[in-house]
Amino acid sequence: MIILVPAYEPDAQLLEVIGAIRAADPALGLVVVDDGSGPAYGHIFDGARRAGAHVISHPANRGKGFALKTGFRFILDRFPAQDVVCADSDGQHSVVDILRVAELAGTEATSMVLGARTFAGDVPARSRFGNAATRLLFRLATGERISDTQTGLRGYPASMLPWLLTVSGERYEYELNLLLEAKAAGYRIASVGIATIYLDHNSGSHFRPLADSVRIYAPLLKFLLSSFAGFLIDTVAFLVLSAATDSVLAAVVGARCLSATANFLINRRLVFKHGREKPARATAARYVALALSLLAANYALLTALGGAGVGDLPAKLLTEAALFAVSYAIQQRFLFAKGHKPDLVPAQPRHSLAVNRNK
């Protein structure tokens, strides 16, 4: 078993984490990736080497996802049959929890293990909100419930490492991408409860609220922008046709034909990662079926709201908001989902660590 710790400008907490792991189980291997911290932090990484960790350094900061992939490549090369547990460098994960995840990791060759925080007690607002938002995104995209999508404490069996290197993302979005693509790749996600620890209100975190949030929520944001473009087309056409024909049905059908065509082309080419992997004709046929179903729901809701005395524009806004989540979930999980599952890499026999950790 290897414990992999990505670190960027760490403080003494990194050495405390390493020392506690070494004291708890000296047989565990330790790999630390210095993600371009610079000379000012050299003494911290020198201390990590003295404590028995392998330290790999990037000349410049590349992001957490890139650092994790560097560690996975190193482990595949030096310890190809070892399972891996990834832990943060800032002391947010207790050694007891790291060992619990390590115990479960690798028991199944097709499962990753998440250390799921309870978010009880004094939790920073941005952490509580961020996890709630990504839980919703994950549920919409996959239909699965995971209580902690942003945890950095994760265990991976050795057989999963080659796949981990194929998933896109170089910063914080990488860990969410792993969850979003795991099911399509044939992997399961297991969770084990861990303590929620925030030292000094998580002041050691290098998470950039705006830039990194945009990266993490990119799949939903792109869909939102695509849907908004379709909504503008649909709403303008609906209002024009409604005034011209005095028929809700004619207005809904005409507006939806225009907006659906634009929305399909944008989603297939720009929004969903695997959208262009499937034949356009087959995907278009399924999209038409989805559009007709949403059209029926749209008409039913508009009629019901109109009957309740709601005006055309407010009724349209309420209807589109209600159907947005349904449309995203169906397109992400079925319409534009990856078309095949890659072959799983067979598990390899375990062997003991036989490399000098000080190298």
Side-chain angles (χ1 to χ4, degrees), residues 147-199:
S147 62
D148 187 1
T149 57
Q150 293 184 313
T151 178
L153 181 56
R154 304 183 180 204
Y156 304 103
S159 60
M160 193 179 290
L161 265 62
W163 172 73
L164 295 174
L165 294 173
T166 70
V167 178
S168 63
E170 293 191 353
R171 295 190 178 274
Y172 287 100
E173 78 279 7
Y174 172 68
E175 291 179 306
L176 181 60
N177 289 345
L178 290 177
L179 301 182
L180 290 170
E181 297 192 22
K183 184 175 181 180
Y187 295 114
R188 298 194 312 113
I189 301 171
S191 296
V192 57
I194 64 172
T196 305
I197 302 173
Y198 285 104
L199 303 177

Side-chain angles (χ1 to χ4, degrees), residues 11-291:
D11 56 19
Q13 286 291 337
L14 173 61
L15 300 181
E16 293 183 17
V17 169
I18 292 173
I21 293 172
R22 299 288 291 139
D25 189 347
L28 291 173
L30 279 162
V31 174
V32 175
V33 179
D34 168 16
D35 188 25
S37 302
Y41 297 86
H43 65 289
I44 297 290
F45 294 104
D46 288 341
R49 290 186 183 92
R50 288 193 296 270
H54 299 275
V55 177
I56 311 163
S57 296
H58 292 161
N61 177 253
R62 298 295 301 272
K64 186 178 183 182
F66 193 93
L68 287 170
K69 291 177 186 178
T70 294
F72 294 146
R73 289 189 187 94
F74 178 83
I75 293 166
L76 274 171
D77 180 54
R78 298 290 292 272
F79 314 113
Q82 293 294 321
D83 304 321
V84 179
V85 170
C86 299
D88 291 339
S89 64
D90 54 8
Q92 286 194 36
H93 306 137
S94 71
V95 174
V96 171
D97 288 333
I98 291 173
L99 295 179
R100 290 180 66 203
V101 172
E103 183 179 358
L104 291 176
T107 56
E108 287 188 48
T110 59
S111 294
M112 69 174 71
V113 179
L114 305 183
R117 297 162 293 180
T118 59
F119 291 95
D122 187 17
V123 179
R126 74 176 186 181
S127 297
R128 194 183 296 275
F129 172 79
N131 195 64
T134 49
R135 278 205 313 267
L136 174 61
L137 168 61
F138 187 79
R139 182 73 190 280
L140 289 174
T142 68
E144 297 184 45
R145 291 180 181 271
I146 291 182
S147 62
D148 187 1
T149 57
Q150 293 184 313
T151 178
L153 181 56
R154 304 183 180 204
Y156 304 103
S159 60
M160 193 179 290
L161 265 62
W163 172 73
L164 295 174
L165 294 173
T166 70
V167 178
S168 63
E170 293 191 353
R171 295 190 178 274
Y172 287 100
E173 78 279 7
Y174 172 68
E175 291 179 306
L176 181 60
N177 289 345
L178 290 177
L179 301 182
L180 290 170
E181 297 192 22
K183 184 175 181 180
Y187 295 114
R188 298 194 312 113
I189 301 171
S191 296
V192 57
I194 64 172
T196 305
I197 302 173
Y198 285 104
L199 303 177
D200 193 20
H201 293 275
N202 205 23
S203 60
S205 173
H206 295 284
F207 183 85
R208 301 168 300 174
L210 180 59
D212 290 322
S213 292
V214 168
R215 286 177 175 270
I216 288 173
Y217 305 132
L220 187 58
L221 289 172
K222 288 190 292 184
F223 183 79
L224 180 62
L225 291 173
S226 170
S227 297
F228 184 67
F231 164 75
L232 289 178
I233 296 171
D234 195 72
T235 300
V236 171
F238 171 79
L239 293 175
V240 171
L241 292 173
S242 180
T245 65
D246 197 29
S247 168
V248 172
L249 178 59
V252 167
V253 172
R256 187 50 52 95
C257 286
L258 292 173
S259 63
T261 300
N263 186 252
F264 170 76
L265 294 174
I266 294 172
N267 287 352
R268 183 172 183 268
R269 292 180 174 274
L270 301 176
V271 175
F272 294 102
K273 179 179 178 181
H274 304 292
R276 285 179 285 183
E277 294 178 2
K278 295 183 177 181
R281 183 175 299 179
T283 307
R286 296 187 182 97
Y287 184 86
V288 169
L290 172 63

